[in-house]
Amino acid sequence: MIIVRGFVHARADSIEAARRLSLEHVARSRREPGCLEHGVAVDADDALRLVFFERWSDRATLDAHFRLPASRDFVTALTALTALAARPPHIEVYEVAPAAAR
């Protein structure tokens, strides 16, 4: 399984627009093959920070997600989200396996 964690810091004047774009991306991503979970939330400690959490069945499905124009556009320097951000978005990708049962 692949876990993706990302975040973007919006500006005070752009948080609602950033939130709306993020929710649109989440809704699109949830319909893709191999997407097990995809969500965005406002950080409880920083109301301008949007945090993304995703689970994908395998690397191939995540790579397919990243190849989609809508996904690429969501995080590139030319997107509306980046234009709304106080600093560049950040993303981390982890390959994980379930822990052994005790």
Side-chain angles (χ1 to χ4, degrees):
M1 178 182 358
I2 303 295
I3 303 278
V4 178
R5 183 185 85 106
F7 57 86
V8 62
H9 286 89
R11 298 185 317 270
D13 66 334
S14 66
I15 186 62
E16 286 308 312
R19 184 179 167 279
R20 186 181 72 262
L21 285 172
S22 298
L23 289 171
E24 290 169 3
H25 176 71
V26 165
R28 240 187 346 264
S29 299
R30 286 178 177 171
R31 294 188 299 266
E32 293 177 33
C35 180
L36 305 174
E37 180 178 0
H38 201 297
V40 63
V42 175
D43 186 316
D45 295 322
D46 182 348
L48 298 178
R49 184 175 187 241
L50 298 175
V51 180
F52 296 85
F53 181 81
E54 308 168 29
R55 288 186 315 123
W56 295 85
S57 59
D58 54 45
R59 186 62 199 218
T61 58
L62 177 62
D63 289 345
H65 166 72
F66 285 151
R67 282 193 301 271
L68 291 173
S71 294
R72 281 196 319 265
D73 290 348
F74 183 70
V75 294
T76 64
L78 301 176
T79 82
L81 181 63
T82 300
L84 299 172
R87 49 188 176 256
H90 177 81
I91 188 169
E92 299 168 345
V93 178
Y94 303 93
E95 189 168 348
V96 298
R102 292 184 170 190

